[in-house]
Amino acid sequence: GRLRHRSTHHLRSNDSSASRNYATRLIGSKLVFYTPLTINPRRPYRDQLPAQRPWQPGATPDQFEPIAPATRIYQPPEPLDPLRGVVLHTVTTCDLAEARLPCESTAVLGPAGRVFYVSAQSVYVWTTARHRTPGGSAATLFRLPLDGSAPSALRASGSPIDQFSFLEGDDGHLNVLLRSQGRGESMWGAERHGGELALLRLPLQSFGDGRDAAPAAAYRVLPGARGPSLHNRYVGDFLLYGAGAGWHRRAPPRQDHVLHAVRLGKGDDAPVYSLPLDHAVDRIEAMGENAVVIGGQAGDLGFTSVRLARYPVTVGHYLRAGAAQGETRSHGFFHKADGEHGGLIGLPIVGAEASPSRQLRAPSAAMLYLRESGLRFGELGTLAATPGSSRMSDGCHASCVDWYGNSRPLFIRDRVFALMGYEIVEGRLQGARGDDERIREIRRVSFAPNHGWGVRE
């Protein structure tokens, strides 16, 4: 096959980055963007509205065409204070199946703090004011349907941690894990751990024109989690959360680490399970109907599997000595099921002395692969990056931290790859399943500057 350039397009945006959440989702053939546009009353409004232009050499600003007509821009009933910051929270949908790449936007006006989440039917934008109320941060939750129909809204308190704090369930309810003093997830916002925790559970029919507020009975206060940074995930019927490392510092080595598990839809009388761990909660991922928790442990990297049956319980444990995660965000991990009760795990790793913020500047040292069988772990080995490859730079011509950390495992049919910076390394599983199974490198491709495209086998 061949790749052929068709067209390049620009969308107007002030910012799309957060430490954990990124602006793009692909649902079928539709590419969905979230873009905040800060409104400056001293500038012409036409230059600040959602717009698109095809790009070519010599493109000029006046070639931008508006893609959000006035009838698709909404304002909540409560007045907004421009001195505290007003943002046009914009959701843009582009249909990749069309030849011209048509895009259209829907936008809502709100305060600057935000967390956004995309379900199969809607985009949710939780906006948070900079000032705080006695019960927590004042907030408005917007629901923007992907079919282009009018948004709806609901007033609330607090702020989600990140996109994983949301779950639009099949039972017609929206679940959101909140902290009372959060202010959104703009860069490093999700890493700031402050305030009490609560689970908000709402019927989707609760959304209206934004005048109503979520009732007090919809909030369930939850036990707190001690640590620099919170991590949360919905797996099966459970909300799982705990505390671990931040971007610039790791969790205290002698802290008591706990994973909390809450079964959804059982009311305030349902117990909150607290599972002791030997390591911090730096990552929570699904493994089929069960979960794996990954985190630091006094200079090592620990894995713990959790069976989510009638009662959640920890099962398997694995410790990689002298290692840390090389990529802390969600795309660094992958679990590929290869049977009813097992699968393969891939995760980038670095030496334990590396700061978590290193992932913004350099790829990982290696890709670690584990065999998961019946929630027990066995190491398959690593595919390592070429020594010194993290120091390569071409001034962003071929690569410029394109993958937000430059490292991730790839499972394509029955083949296994490791993407690390300028290298793609292929491995092959050898030996029978069990103690003798190992992964071996069979070839690698580099597109490093001054290296040329080459395959080494």
Side-chain angles (χ1 to χ4, degrees):
R2 294 290 185 268
L3 289 176
R4 180 176 60 87
H5 176 263
R6 290 180 58 182
S7 60
T8 302
H9 297 258
H10 284 170
L11 293 176
R12 185 177 287 157
S13 175
N14 292 146
D15 182 24
S16 63
S17 58
S19 52
R20 302 184 186 179
N21 198 3
Y22 301 100
T24 316
R25 301 289 187 271
L26 183 62
I27 301 177
S29 67
K30 293 188 176 180
L31 193 59
V32 180
F33 294 92
Y34 166 77
T35 52
L37 293 164
T38 303
I39 300 301
N40 184 346
R42 298 179 179 84
R43 292 181 54 214
Y45 285 112
R46 188 182 189 282
D47 296 341
Q48 303 179 67
L49 297 178
Q52 174 192 18
R53 73 175 178 187
W55 179 87
Q56 64 277 332
T60 59
D62 59 7
Q63 291 176 322
F64 275 104
E65 294 292 336
I67 53 176
T71 54
R72 297 181 65 88
I73 298 177
Y74 298 84
Q75 179 176 345
E78 290 190 340
L80 297 168
D81 185 354
L83 297 180
R84 295 183 181 271
V86 176
V87 169
L88 199 60
H89 299 279
T90 306
V91 174
T92 301
T93 302
C94 302
D95 194 344
L96 301 179
E98 299 291 332
R100 287 191 59 256
L101 191 67
C103 299
E104 59 180 18
S105 297
T106 301
V108 292
L109 283 164
R114 88 276 180 174
V115 181
F116 80 98
Y117 159 74
V118 183
S119 73
Q121 289 80 35
S122 302
V123 178
Y124 293 86
V125 181
W126 187 291
T127 63
T128 309
R130 295 183 185 275
H131 62 284
R132 292 172 176 166
T133 63
S137 302
T140 300
L141 173 59
F142 294 97
R143 182 173 185 244
L144 292 81
L146 290 172
D147 62 8
S149 55
S152 52
L154 191 70
R155 291 188 291 114
S157 295
S159 179
I161 301 163
D162 54 27
Q163 73 274 25
F164 296 123
S165 302
F166 292 81
L167 175 67
E168 184 187 88
D170 296 332
D171 59 357
H173 284 74
L174 179 70
N175 306 274
V176 192
L177 178 64
L178 303 171
R179 50 186 175 179
S180 59
Q181 303 301 335
R183 296 192 184 186
E185 63 175 2
S186 57
M187 190 59 80
W188 319 123
E191 312 300 325
R192 299 186 180 98
H193 182 179
E196 299 178 345
L197 298 179
L199 177 62
L200 174 64
R201 180 170 167 81
L202 292 167
L204 297 181
Q205 292 85 350
S206 301
F207 287 84
D209 63 3
R211 291 185 174 89
D212 295 331
Y219 298 86
R220 179 185 180 182
V221 177
L222 297 177
R226 295 173 53 201
S229 182
L230 279 173
H231 299 269
N232 58 160
R233 203 68 178 262
Y234 296 91
V235 182
D237 296 330
F238 286 88
L239 163 67
L240 307 175
Y241 69 94
W247 273 80
H248 300 290
R249 60 192 179 106
R250 303 203 179 278
R254 299 188 180 277
Q255 177 177 304
D256 294 331
H257 302 297
V258 177
L259 175 73
H260 299 284
V262 185
R263 188 182 288 275
L264 301 175
K266 298 299 181 181
D268 290 350
D269 295 334
V272 178
Y273 301 95
S274 299
L275 308 180
L277 300 176
D278 293 331
H279 54 80
V281 181
D282 297 330
R283 178 187 291 275
I284 306 170
E285 300 284 355
M287 293 194 306
E289 297 178 350
N290 302 297
V292 58
V293 183
I294 303 170
Q297 177 187 339
D300 303 325
L301 183 63
F303 293 68
T304 299
S305 62
V306 182
R307 178 176 287 118
L308 298 174
R310 183 176 180 182
Y311 305 105
V313 59
T314 60
V315 180
H317 305 276
Y318 167 78
L319 188 70
R320 173 75 179 202
Q325 290 192 92
E327 171 59 77
T328 62
R329 288 153 294 186
S330 60
H331 47 234
F333 172 94
F334 199 84
H335 172 265
K336 178 190 177 183
D338 61 358
E340 187 176 351
H341 301 293
L344 297 174
I345 287 175
L347 181 71
I349 60 172
V350 292
E353 73 284 351
S355 165
S357 61
R358 174 189 181 277
Q359 63 190 271
L360 295 175
R361 305 181 302 274
S364 299
M367 195 70 62
L368 172 67
Y369 293 92
L370 304 179
R371 167 70 67 186
E372 178 262 321
S373 180
L375 297 179
R376 306 286 179 178
F377 300 114
E379 182 176 332
L380 298 174
T382 60
L383 297 177
T386 299
S389 61
S390 63
R391 296 190 295 271
M392 295 180 182
S393 175
D394 66 349
C396 297
H397 290 291
S399 179
C400 191
V401 197
D402 298 310
W403 305 285
Y404 291 98
N406 276 0
S407 302
R408 62 185 60 188
L410 301 171
F411 298 98
I412 302 175
R413 296 180 183 172
D414 59 347
R415 299 171 72 180
V416 181
F417 297 89
L419 173 63
M420 295 175 289
Y422 290 96
E423 294 181 299
I424 301 175
V425 185
E426 182 173 5
R428 179 174 295 162
L429 294 174
Q430 298 177 344
R433 286 198 183 188
D435 294 338
D436 296 331
E437 188 180 22
R438 292 290 184 269
I439 190 166
R440 307 293 184 196
E441 178 184 333
I442 59 173
R443 74 192 76 194
R444 65 176 61 209
V445 175
S446 174
F447 56 99
N450 303 319
H451 184 282
W453 286 89
V455 178
R456 191 174 76 228
E457 301 193 26

